[in-house]
């Protein structure tokens, strides 16, 4: 078999693979009424219940993810300490070896940047890296950002009808690439009224079947009549939708969605629902990334003062350069540059926070879009890429913190001061 033949077989296999993915996405899943629903994409973390009374504080899924990741990090540290017998075990176990390999890598890197002061910054850098690694990897676990609490969609959000699945509910999505219906204030209130306190009185199946049969006959008759009259397709669809809504309201009373005959038979609820995931990637919430950036920038100032004393603040307000302006007029420029450094330091907060947030949020949307377009198999490729990206982003944030701290601990004005003292001695 020559190279051309092998290439043809490989190409055929790829085509069959893509056809199988398309068949699952556009055929199998919609026929089971479980086509992929596009989730609500929001920048802030999503509260589990939008009706909670505390407007100033709502427990969100990103906060749950942050707490969970913190617990994982603490458990990781505890089991590492326990496995090493308090870091006194001379012959390390396999787990201890992995931990020491990770710790040694971070410490050596810190020593290469900060020199002898690496022992100061190593705990901070290692903690940031391990914590971000936990939060970033956790969002790739099965069920994260896909399994959660289903509730009525608030005004402006897009959602789907729902059906009972045993003792629970699930979204009813019978069309591929269906982005749902946009909720209004009226639809939200109608949904809340129907599902008041979780007490759901759904119509009997016999009533739903009767309504579905009636709708099937009346819809076919209406379409035939309008087509004979030469009515355009858009008007026909509008008239059919009105008929569907009337029949749906005959069994649900406060319906806000016009259900088809098949949806009525399946027992779909004619209200707009969304799912708030139990967990969402913690680093996709700006609150976390800004909080970490503030910690990082505060640490930069702390270690700068620890290494240089109050002389560190000459970096921002260069009084020495201003005092020597008589001898060195260009020192006024150095004073102005120092004030610009203040803006640069504030800019680090924005840079660190939005770099991490942007990459993690974009990665999450990529996985959502690929699952929506091609529900089976293909998204696994992007999961593999996300493992690499999430690891790199955790490392980048930790390394940037290390670099900024190392720069802050360097003596920016030591040489000038020594030169001035040497000149005074000879004067």
């Amino acid at each position: 078999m020559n190279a051309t033949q092998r290439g043809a077989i490989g190409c055929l296999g790829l085509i069959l693979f893509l056809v199988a993915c398309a068949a699952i996405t556009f055929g199998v899943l919609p026929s089971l009424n479980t086509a992929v629903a596009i989730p609500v994409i929001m920048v802030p973390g999503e509260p589990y219940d939008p009706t909670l009374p505390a407007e100033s504080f709502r427990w969100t899924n990103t906060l749950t993810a942050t707490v969970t990741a913190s617990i994982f990090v603490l458990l990781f540290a505890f089991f590492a300490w326990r496995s090493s017998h308090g870091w006194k075990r001379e012959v390390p176990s396999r787990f201890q070896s992995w931990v020491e390999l990770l710790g040694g890598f971070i410490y050596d890197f810190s020593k290469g940047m900060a020199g002898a002061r690496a022992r100061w910054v190593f705990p901070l850098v290692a903690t940031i890296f391990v914590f971000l690694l936990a939060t970033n990897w956790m969002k790739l676990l099965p069920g994260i950002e896909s399994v959660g609490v289903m509730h009525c969609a608030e005004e402006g959000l897009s959602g789907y009808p729902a059906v009972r699945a045993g003792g629970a509910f699930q979204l009813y999505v019978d069309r591929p690439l269906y982005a749902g219906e946009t909720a209004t204030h009226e639809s939200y209130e109608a949904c809340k009224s129907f599902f008041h306190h979780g007490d759901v009185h759904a119509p009997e199946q016999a009533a739903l079947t009767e309504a579905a049969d009636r709708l099937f006959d009346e819809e076919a008759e209406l379409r035939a009549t309008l087509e004979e009259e030469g009515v355009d397709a858009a008007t026909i669809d509008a008239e059919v939708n009105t008929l569907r809504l009337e029949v749906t309201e005959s069994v649900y009373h406060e319906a806000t969605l016009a259900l088809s005959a098949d949806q009525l038979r399946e027992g779909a609820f004619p209200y707009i629902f969304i799912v708030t995931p139990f967990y969402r990637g913690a680093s996709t919430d700006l609150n976390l990334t800004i909080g970490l950036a503030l910690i990082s920038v505060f640490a930069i100032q702390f270690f700068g003062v620890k290494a240089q004393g109050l002389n560190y603040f000459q970096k921002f307000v260069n009084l020495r350069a201003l005092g020597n302006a008589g001898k060195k007029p260009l020192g006024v420029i150095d004073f102005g540059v120092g004030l610009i450094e203040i803006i640069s330091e504030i800019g680090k907060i924005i840079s660190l926070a939005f770099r991490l947030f942007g990459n993690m949020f974009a990665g999450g949307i990529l996985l959502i879009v690929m699952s929506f377009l091609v529900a089976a198999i293909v998204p696994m490729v992007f999961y593999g890429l996300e493992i690499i990206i999430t690891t790199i982003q955790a490392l980048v944030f930790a390394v940037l913190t290390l670099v900024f701290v190392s720069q802050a601990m360097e003596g920016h004005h030591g040489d000038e001061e020594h030169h001035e003292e040497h000149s005074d001695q000879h004067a």
Side-chain angles (χ1 to χ4, degrees):
M1 184 180 293
N2 56 36
T4 302
Q5 292 172 330
R6 290 194 298 270
I9 292 174
C11 182
L12 179 61
L14 179 60
I15 292 173
L16 292 176
F17 170 76
L18 295 176
V19 169
C21 291
I24 295 173
T25 303
F26 298 97
V28 177
L29 294 179
S31 66
L32 299 174
N33 303 321
T34 56
V36 176
I38 189 167
V40 176
I41 299 175
M42 299 176 63
V43 173
E46 300 145 273
Y48 295 113
D49 188 348
T51 62
L52 286 176
E55 291 292 336
S56 59
F57 177 78
R58 290 181 174 181
W59 192 278
T60 62
N61 47 16
T62 51
L63 182 55
T64 302
T66 302
V67 173
T68 304
S70 301
I71 293 173
F72 282 161
V73 172
L74 292 174
L75 289 174
F76 173 79
F78 171 76
F79 284 115
W81 179 83
R82 184 178 179 181
S83 174
S84 63
H85 299 165
W87 304 111
K88 297 177 181 178
R89 187 173 180 175
E90 295 183 0
V91 181
S93 63
R94 182 176 299 178
F95 178 63
Q96 181 183 346
S97 298
W98 281 105
V99 174
E100 290 182 355
L101 180 65
L102 176 63
F105 167 75
I106 300 175
Y107 183 78
D108 290 341
F109 202 89
S110 301
K111 191 172 182 180
M113 295 295 300
R117 297 186 178 119
R119 65 184 187 278
W120 293 0
V121 298
F122 167 72
L124 173 68
V125 174
T127 301
I128 289 176
F129 176 69
V130 174
F131 172 73
L132 284 179
L133 202 61
T135 59
N136 293 350
W137 279 3
M138 193 173 70
K139 82 184 191 74
L140 301 177
L141 295 175
I144 302 298
E145 300 187 1
S146 60
V147 178
V149 180
M150 192 173 73
H151 56 87
C152 300
E154 296 179 84
E155 182 179 1
L157 300 180
S158 296
Y160 304 84
V163 292
R164 280 189 183 278
F169 293 88
Q170 71 177 34
L171 297 179
Y172 183 97
V173 189
D174 58 350
R175 284 177 279 170
L177 306 185
Y178 174 44
E181 302 290 339
T182 303
T184 62
H185 177 72
E186 292 74 17
S187 68
Y188 176 62
E189 292 299 327
C191 181
K192 283 204 307 179
S193 175
F194 187 83
F195 288 85
H196 184 59
H197 300 305
D199 186 16
V200 180
H201 297 286
E204 296 292 335
Q205 185 60 45
L208 292 172
T209 302
E210 181 182 353
D213 293 339
R214 171 192 158 198
L215 175 59
F216 183 82
D217 295 336
E218 292 185 4
E219 182 177 332
E221 183 180 350
L222 177 61
R223 285 185 181 277
T225 302
L226 294 177
E227 287 174 0
E228 288 179 2
E229 295 176 357
V231 178
D232 61 275
T235 304
I236 292 175
D237 290 340
E239 292 292 335
V240 169
N241 192 68
T242 301
L243 174 62
R244 287 181 175 182
L245 186 58
E246 290 176 358
V247 175
T248 304
E249 287 179 340
S250 68
V251 287
Y252 284 102
H253 306 297
E254 290 185 285
T256 56
L257 286 178
L259 300 181
S260 66
D262 290 337
Q263 290 173 328
L264 283 171
R265 289 193 184 94
E266 294 288 341
F269 293 98
Y271 305 99
I272 303 175
F273 299 90
I274 59 173
V275 173
T276 296
F278 292 124
Y279 285 90
R280 177 180 139 187
S283 50
T284 64
D285 191 336
L286 266 174
N287 291 299
L288 175 69
T289 58
I290 290 177
L292 278 177
L294 288 171
I295 292 173
S296 179
V297 172
F298 175 80
I300 293 170
Q301 316 313 313
F302 172 80
F303 287 114
V305 173
K306 185 175 181 179
Q308 302 185 48
L310 294 180
N311 188 57
Y312 168 74
F313 293 107
Q314 293 277 356
K315 173 183 177 181
F316 306 110
V317 184
N318 198 335
L319 298 179
R320 185 182 299 109
L322 191 62
N324 289 331
K327 299 178 181 178
K328 299 179 179 179
L330 291 179
V332 177
I333 297 177
D334 292 336
F335 179 79
V337 170
L339 297 179
I340 296 175
E341 281 290 330
I342 298 175
I343 301 174
S344 174
E345 211 69 12
I346 297 173
K348 289 175 182 176
I349 300 175
I350 300 173
S351 173
L352 288 169
F354 280 87
R355 178 185 290 106
L356 177 61
F357 165 76
N359 282 281
M360 294 301 98
F361 194 78
I365 292 178
L366 174 64
L367 295 178
I368 289 169
V369 170
M370 292 310 303
S371 298
F372 184 68
L373 295 176
V374 187
I377 305 173
V378 173
M380 293 296 294
V381 176
F382 294 92
Y383 271 92
L385 293 175
E386 277 298 296
I387 292 175
I388 299 173
I389 293 172
T390 51
T391 303
I392 290 175
Q393 288 305 313
L395 183 62
V396 165
F397 196 102
V399 168
L400 285 176
T401 300
L402 173 62
V403 169
F404 292 148
V405 168
S406 301
Q407 290 175 345
M409 291 189 297
E410 292 177 357
H412 296 282
H413 306 285
D415 294 339
E416 288 182 11
E417 188 173 357
H418 176 74
H419 179 72
E420 289 175 7
E421 291 177 356
H422 185 72
S423 299
D424 292 342
Q425 290 175 357
H426 288 273

